[in-house]
Amino acid sequence: MSVRLQISAMLFLMIQALAFFAATLVLLLSPFSREAMSLMPWVVAGTALVSMPLSWWLAPRLRARTWRRDGAMDLLK
């Protein structure tokens, strides 16, 4: 299992939780709140589809090698 996949899997859980919270909040505060229970599977699937590519895109940016290569570690000293 690659490092990018491992980081992406950990990020997916956090991004999914935040996206689900935001989507559920929007759903419950919208006029569709009466149909919330029937729309909830769509919210789960939609946030999962958004979270997967986002976590895959963010994963390489969290590696220490990227920070050292870009010179960002000099700012932390």
Side-chain angles (χ1 to χ4, degrees), residues 9-46:
M10 289 186 286
L11 275 176
F12 172 77
L13 297 173
M14 291 180 272
I15 293 171
Q16 172 70 11
L18 291 173
F20 178 75
F21 171 74
T24 303
L25 191 64
V26 167
L27 177 67
L28 292 176
L29 294 176
S30 73
F32 297 113
S33 63
R34 291 185 186 268
E35 294 87 24
M37 290 308 292
S38 61
L39 293 175
M40 198 57 67
W42 291 100
V43 169
V44 172

Side-chain angles (χ1 to χ4, degrees), residues 3 7 58-74 76:
V3 174
I7 294 172
L58 283 173
R61 287 152 182 81
L62 296 178
R63 296 183 70 180
R65 178 177 20 182
T66 306
W67 285 85
R68 282 193 306 267
R69 184 187 66 226
D70 294 342
M73 293 303 274
D74 296 334
L76 299 177

